[in-house]
Amino acid sequence: MLSKKITCGVCGYRITPKKEEIYVAEEPRAFVDALTKPPTRFNAMDCPRCGCQIMLAVRVDRVNVPERNDADESEVAKDED
């Protein structure tokens, strides 16, 4: 369970979000934007009192960085000598 309380912007109800209640939502886009821009995704939850969607945080795509191999670098340094 998260410790930060969230306030609904519509009804003013204060809630502590639970992990089970949080889901990923995607912002609607126009047709041209769908072809040219990546979608904006965010964590959201629904207010238990009024049912409105509450945006919690914007999600950014994960970037996979290849691991460095020190053996390859030492071989390159020997080849340059």
Side-chain angles (χ1 to χ4, degrees):
M1 180 167 81
L2 303 173
S3 61
K4 186 178 178 183
K5 287 206 175 242
I6 304 296
T7 304
C8 177
V10 177
C11 68
Y13 188 68
R14 292 182 50 84
I15 359 164
T16 303
K18 296 180 183 132
K19 188 175 182 179
E20 305 84 41
E21 298 172 346
I22 299 173
Y23 57 88
V24 178
E26 187 174 300
E27 188 173 37
R29 300 177 288 163
F31 179 72
V32 176
D33 289 340
L35 297 174
T36 58
K37 296 179 186 175
T40 302
R41 293 186 176 102
F42 52 90
N43 288 344
M45 67 174 289
D46 295 331
C47 176
R49 180 186 280 173
C50 67
C52 291
Q53 188 178 63
I54 302 170
M55 186 173 125
L56 300 174
V58 175
R59 295 181 64 98
V60 181
D61 289 335
R62 187 175 288 196
V63 177
N64 293 325
V65 179
E67 293 183 24
R68 290 181 52 182
N69 191 347
D70 293 335
D72 292 341
E73 291 177 9
S74 62
E75 290 175 9
V76 172
K78 290 178 185 177
D79 292 339
E80 292 176 357
D81 291 336

